[in-house]
Amino acid sequence: MANWFAYNGVGDPTLPGSYYKMAVNPNCLTGGSIICAIYLDDSANVPSSVSAVLTYIANAQATLVSQPADGFQRFVYVKDL
């Protein structure tokens, strides 16, 4: 089952331990320089892996735009401080 996971803001955004499952949908839709949330097919409180969205995380960090930028469903959201 797919869930949104919030980034804790201090850990490495490429490591699963930096995320925790959310009970709500993210509201950080406008972009920015910090990873806000990722969408994964995982139901654990802390995801077992973020490898499915690593390219999206890298692209979001480089462009400051939620990813994929040209897709209907976003898998990585970014926000400002």
Side-chain angles (χ1 to χ4, degrees):
M1 178 177 174
N3 288 290
W4 281 104
F5 292 85
Y7 174 56
N8 68 13
V10 294
D12 183 338
T14 64
L15 297 177
S18 297
Y19 296 90
Y20 197 77
K21 185 167 68 172
M22 299 168 57
V24 299
N25 288 334
N27 193 23
C28 45
L29 309 178
T30 58
S33 59
I34 305 241
I35 300 295
C36 172
I38 60 174
Y39 192 68
L40 296 170
D41 188 16
D42 199 322
S43 60
N45 284 333
V46 174
S48 57
S49 173
V50 297
S51 62
V53 294
L54 282 177
T55 299
Y56 293 141
I57 290 171
N59 290 348
Q61 290 177 314
T63 64
L64 309 180
V65 175
S66 297
Q67 297 293 317
D70 59 352
F72 176 72
Q73 169 68 47
R74 304 279 194 246
F75 293 98
V76 174
Y77 281 114
V78 291
K79 67 179 180 177
D80 285 323
L81 288 175

